[in-house]
Amino acid sequence: MQLLLFGAPGVGKGTQAKLLSSKFNIPHISTGDILRQAVKDQTELGKRAQEIMNRGDLVPDDVMIGIIKYRLSKSDCNSGFILDGFPRTDKQAEELDKLLEEMNLGDLKLVNIFADEEEIVKRLNNRRACKECGHIFTLTEIIDINTCPNCGAKNSFYLREDDKEEVIRKRMEVFRQTTEPVLKYYQNKGKVISVNGLGSVEDVNQEILKVLS
Ligand SMILES: [Zn+2]
């Protein structure tokens, strides 16, 4: 099973990727992770990527594709994989298609976890983190706003930078601009499966499994 996981910031894409990865026993390939790994391993491509990133530039498509090719050629990808964070442009999507054909890795499906922007903003804005234990709660889970239900710390709740409305809206804007062309590319090929991301983690997971089967 070859999957591409797609979803706006705050929609729980990473969590779903992990669940699917253990359910189907296929690797969760996050581009951020494999890029860091390539740099750490000091592979040829890793060194090039590092140089480019040190200059503050974006890693070009050919380097990214090379790093992904290297990762997909490992034996744990034989029965499938979940890509997360790539492709980010329709050009990259084309390159990825070519690569999968070349490597005989079969067709992929894009799982689009969508949610209404206002709902995401509301959901994230209603979260509070405990600065003592790091646990994240929604306001409805907190009975006494002065006491952390997890560690008992007093007055330890705060709104994380990433959960602030203006930060969320900015990230959503970037997400829309960069990923819409990619979504269109796969839609035109009839490869998109859409799932509503607003339920609980379990509900969304069940929904994905249902549409995949
Ligand atoms: Zn706590």
mmCIF file with all atom_site columns, all heavy atoms in Angstrom, residues 42 54 144 149 163 169 173 182 209:
data_model
loop_
_atom_site.group_PDB
_atom_site.id
_atom_site.type_symbol
_atom_site.label_atom_id
_atom_site.label_alt_id
_atom_site.label_comp_id
_atom_site.label_asym_id
_atom_site.label_entity_id
_atom_site.label_seq_id
_atom_site.pdbx_PDB_ins_code
_atom_site.Cartn_x
_atom_site.Cartn_y
_atom_site.Cartn_z
_atom_site.occupancy
_atom_site.B_iso_or_equiv
_atom_site.pdbx_formal_charge
_atom_site.auth_seq_id
_atom_site.auth_comp_id
_atom_site.auth_asym_id
_atom_site.auth_atom_id
_atom_site.pdbx_PDB_model_num
ATOM 1  N N   . GLN A 1 42  ? 25.796  11.812 6.167  1.00 0.00 ? 42  GLN A N   1
ATOM 2  C CA  . GLN A 1 42  ? 26.753  12.427 5.248  1.00 0.00 ? 42  GLN A CA  1
ATOM 3  C C   . GLN A 1 42  ? 26.843  11.682 3.909  1.00 0.00 ? 42  GLN A C   1
ATOM 4  O O   . GLN A 1 42  ? 27.927  11.457 3.375  1.00 0.00 ? 42  GLN A O   1
ATOM 5  C CB  . GLN A 1 42  ? 28.137  12.533 5.908  1.00 0.00 ? 42  GLN A CB  1
ATOM 6  C CG  . GLN A 1 42  ? 28.193  13.615 6.997  1.00 0.00 ? 42  GLN A CG  1
ATOM 7  C CD  . GLN A 1 42  ? 28.172  15.035 6.417  1.00 0.00 ? 42  GLN A CD  1
ATOM 8  O OE1 . GLN A 1 42  ? 29.095  15.482 5.743  1.00 0.00 ? 42  GLN A OE1 1
ATOM 9  N NE2 . GLN A 1 42  ? 27.088  15.760 6.667  1.00 0.00 ? 42  GLN A NE2 1
ATOM 10 N N   . ASN A 1 54  ? 22.403  25.382 4.560  1.00 0.00 ? 54  ASN A N   1
ATOM 11 C CA  . ASN A 1 54  ? 23.254  26.312 5.307  1.00 0.00 ? 54  ASN A CA  1
ATOM 12 C C   . ASN A 1 54  ? 23.241  27.702 4.691  1.00 0.00 ? 54  ASN A C   1
ATOM 13 O O   . ASN A 1 54  ? 23.397  28.699 5.387  1.00 0.00 ? 54  ASN A O   1
ATOM 14 C CB  . ASN A 1 54  ? 24.700  25.792 5.368  1.00 0.00 ? 54  ASN A CB  1
ATOM 15 C CG  . ASN A 1 54  ? 24.846  24.650 6.361  1.00 0.00 ? 54  ASN A CG  1
ATOM 16 O OD1 . ASN A 1 54  ? 23.932  24.399 7.152  1.00 0.00 ? 54  ASN A OD1 1
ATOM 17 N ND2 . ASN A 1 54  ? 25.968  23.956 6.315  1.00 0.00 ? 54  ASN A ND2 1
ATOM 18 N N   . ASP A 1 144 ? -10.267 22.158 36.680 1.00 0.00 ? 144 ASP A N   1
ATOM 19 C CA  . ASP A 1 144 ? -9.821  23.323 37.453 1.00 0.00 ? 144 ASP A CA  1
ATOM 20 C C   . ASP A 1 144 ? -8.656  23.962 36.696 1.00 0.00 ? 144 ASP A C   1
ATOM 21 O O   . ASP A 1 144 ? -7.582  23.372 36.582 1.00 0.00 ? 144 ASP A O   1
ATOM 22 C CB  . ASP A 1 144 ? -9.377  22.846 38.853 1.00 0.00 ? 144 ASP A CB  1
ATOM 23 C CG  . ASP A 1 144 ? -8.680  23.949 39.637 1.00 0.00 ? 144 ASP A CG  1
ATOM 24 O OD1 . ASP A 1 144 ? -8.697  25.115 39.181 1.00 0.00 ? 144 ASP A OD1 1
ATOM 25 O OD2 . ASP A 1 144 ? -8.102  23.628 40.694 1.00 0.00 ? 144 ASP A OD2 1
ATOM 26 N N   . PRO A 1 149 ? -4.368  18.314 35.506 1.00 0.00 ? 149 PRO A N   1
ATOM 27 C CA  . PRO A 1 149 ? -4.894  16.998 35.881 1.00 0.00 ? 149 PRO A CA  1
ATOM 28 C C   . PRO A 1 149 ? -3.846  15.899 35.746 1.00 0.00 ? 149 PRO A C   1
ATOM 29 O O   . PRO A 1 149 ? -3.997  14.819 36.309 1.00 0.00 ? 149 PRO A O   1
ATOM 30 C CB  . PRO A 1 149 ? -6.033  16.757 34.887 1.00 0.00 ? 149 PRO A CB  1
ATOM 31 C CG  . PRO A 1 149 ? -6.163  17.971 34.064 1.00 0.00 ? 149 PRO A CG  1
ATOM 32 C CD  . PRO A 1 149 ? -4.979  18.847 34.287 1.00 0.00 ? 149 PRO A CD  1
ATOM 33 N N   . ASP A 1 163 ? -0.256  27.270 18.612 1.00 0.00 ? 163 ASP A N   1
ATOM 34 C CA  . ASP A 1 163 ? -1.706  27.184 18.745 1.00 0.00 ? 163 ASP A CA  1
ATOM 35 C C   . ASP A 1 163 ? -2.384  28.551 18.728 1.00 0.00 ? 163 ASP A C   1
ATOM 36 O O   . ASP A 1 163 ? -3.587  28.657 18.885 1.00 0.00 ? 163 ASP A O   1
ATOM 37 C CB  . ASP A 1 163 ? -2.068  26.450 20.049 1.00 0.00 ? 163 ASP A CB  1
ATOM 38 C CG  . ASP A 1 163 ? -1.649  24.978 20.018 1.00 0.00 ? 163 ASP A CG  1
ATOM 39 O OD1 . ASP A 1 163 ? -1.373  24.474 18.907 1.00 0.00 ? 163 ASP A OD1 1
ATOM 40 O OD2 . ASP A 1 163 ? -1.612  24.345 21.080 1.00 0.00 ? 163 ASP A OD2 1
ATOM 41 N N   . ARG A 1 169 ? -3.333  30.686 11.294 1.00 0.00 ? 169 ARG A N   1
ATOM 42 C CA  . ARG A 1 169 ? -3.848  31.221 10.019 1.00 0.00 ? 169 ARG A CA  1
ATOM 43 C C   . ARG A 1 169 ? -2.735  31.403 8.997  1.00 0.00 ? 169 ARG A C   1
ATOM 44 O O   . ARG A 1 169 ? -2.903  31.133 7.817  1.00 0.00 ? 169 ARG A O   1
ATOM 45 C CB  . ARG A 1 169 ? -4.597  32.529 10.248 1.00 0.00 ? 169 ARG A CB  1
ATOM 46 C CG  . ARG A 1 169 ? -5.900  32.320 10.984 1.00 0.00 ? 169 ARG A CG  1
ATOM 47 C CD  . ARG A 1 169 ? -6.897  33.421 10.723 1.00 0.00 ? 169 ARG A CD  1
ATOM 48 N NE  . ARG A 1 169 ? -8.033  33.318 11.613 1.00 0.00 ? 169 ARG A NE  1
ATOM 49 C CZ  . ARG A 1 169 ? -9.116  32.576 11.367 1.00 0.00 ? 169 ARG A CZ  1
ATOM 50 N NH1 . ARG A 1 169 ? -9.201  31.895 10.224 1.00 0.00 ? 169 ARG A NH1 1
ATOM 51 N NH2 . ARG A 1 169 ? -10.096 32.497 12.234 1.00 0.00 ? 169 ARG A NH2 1
ATOM 52 N N   . GLU A 1 173 ? -2.468  29.430 5.400  1.00 0.00 ? 173 GLU A N   1
ATOM 53 C CA  . GLU A 1 173 ? -2.336  30.185 4.159  1.00 0.00 ? 173 GLU A CA  1
ATOM 54 C C   . GLU A 1 173 ? -1.205  29.582 3.311  1.00 0.00 ? 173 GLU A C   1
ATOM 55 O O   . GLU A 1 173 ? -1.371  29.319 2.122  1.00 0.00 ? 173 GLU A O   1
ATOM 56 C CB  . GLU A 1 173 ? -2.037  31.651 4.506  1.00 0.00 ? 173 GLU A CB  1
ATOM 57 C CG  . GLU A 1 173 ? -1.790  32.583 3.344  1.00 0.00 ? 173 GLU A CG  1
ATOM 58 C CD  . GLU A 1 173 ? -3.008  32.755 2.458  1.00 0.00 ? 173 GLU A CD  1
ATOM 59 O OE1 . GLU A 1 173 ? -4.131  32.663 2.988  1.00 0.00 ? 173 GLU A OE1 1
ATOM 60 O OE2 . GLU A 1 173 ? -2.830  32.965 1.248  1.00 0.00 ? 173 GLU A OE2 1
ATOM 61 N N   . VAL A 1 182 ? -0.771  20.472 -5.873 1.00 0.00 ? 182 VAL A N   1
ATOM 62 C CA  . VAL A 1 182 ? -0.450  19.046 -5.729 1.00 0.00 ? 182 VAL A CA  1
ATOM 63 C C   . VAL A 1 182 ? -1.738  18.225 -5.649 1.00 0.00 ? 182 VAL A C   1
ATOM 64 O O   . VAL A 1 182 ? -1.886  17.191 -6.310 1.00 0.00 ? 182 VAL A O   1
ATOM 65 C CB  . VAL A 1 182 ? 0.414   18.790 -4.467 1.00 0.00 ? 182 VAL A CB  1
ATOM 66 C CG1 . VAL A 1 182 ? 0.699   17.314 -4.288 1.00 0.00 ? 182 VAL A CG1 1
ATOM 67 C CG2 . VAL A 1 182 ? 1.699   19.581 -4.543 1.00 0.00 ? 182 VAL A CG2 1
ATOM 68 N N   . LEU A 1 209 ? -9.476  3.908  7.235  1.00 0.00 ? 209 LEU A N   1
ATOM 69 C CA  . LEU A 1 209 ? -9.416  2.460  6.969  1.00 0.00 ? 209 LEU A CA  1
ATOM 70 C C   . LEU A 1 209 ? -10.597 2.027  6.114  1.00 0.00 ? 209 LEU A C   1
ATOM 71 O O   . LEU A 1 209 ? -10.463 1.182  5.222  1.00 0.00 ? 209 LEU A O   1
ATOM 72 C CB  . LEU A 1 209 ? -9.394  1.677  8.286  1.00 0.00 ? 209 LEU A CB  1
ATOM 73 C CG  . LEU A 1 209 ? -8.144  1.872  9.133  1.00 0.00 ? 209 LEU A CG  1
ATOM 74 C CD1 . LEU A 1 209 ? -8.255  1.124  10.457 1.00 0.00 ? 209 LEU A CD1 1
ATOM 75 C CD2 . LEU A 1 209 ? -6.894  1.440  8.381  1.00 0.00 ? 209 LEU A CD2 1
#
